[in-house]
Structure formats: structure tokens, C-alpha cells
Amino acid sequence: MSKKEITLAEFADELKERLEKGETVDCCKEELINLAAIVKEKIGNEKITVDWKD
């Protein structure tokens, strides 16, 4: 495994593909935490509809 910079759009595409295939996203925990911070800072007031599971 090697580190590389990709755009958020590329990362989103990779995540979407993994989830649609039923693969885990455990490999991307650090990246997801970084993404959450970017989302909060840059587009934190945008709305999304969720089916939240407690």
C-alpha cells in the first residue's frame, strides 16, 4: 500500500463503488475521519436525507 493524493470526487467514487459491491470501508477509516472534517468545515450546512440506524 502506498500513500497518494486524490480528489474528493475520486475518493467519493471509490467509496460508492466499494459500498455498492458490498465491500467494507474499514480500510479507509483515517480517510473517512479526514473527509468528515472537510465536510464539516466546507459544506457543513448542506442537508442530506438519512435512514439513521441506532
Side-chain angles (χ1 to χ4, degrees):
M1 188 181 322
S2 63
K3 292 205 180 244
K4 65 179 181 175
E5 272 193 5
I6 61 173
T7 66
L8 292 179
E10 291 170 318
F11 185 59
D13 288 343
E14 289 290 327
L15 285 175
K16 182 179 176 189
E17 185 177 327
R18 288 186 70 82
L19 290 168
E20 288 175 344
K21 288 181 178 178
E23 297 176 6
T24 69
V25 292
D26 295 343
C27 62
C28 308
K29 183 177 179 180
E30 182 180 335
E31 291 83 354
L32 288 169
I33 291 169
N34 292 340
L35 178 61
I38 292 168
V39 168
K40 183 176 179 180
E41 179 183 329
K42 304 276 185 178
I43 58 172
N45 292 323
E46 292 293 322
K47 301 284 184 182
I48 186 172
T49 302
V50 297
D51 183 12
W52 206 258
K53 295 181 176 141
D54 295 327

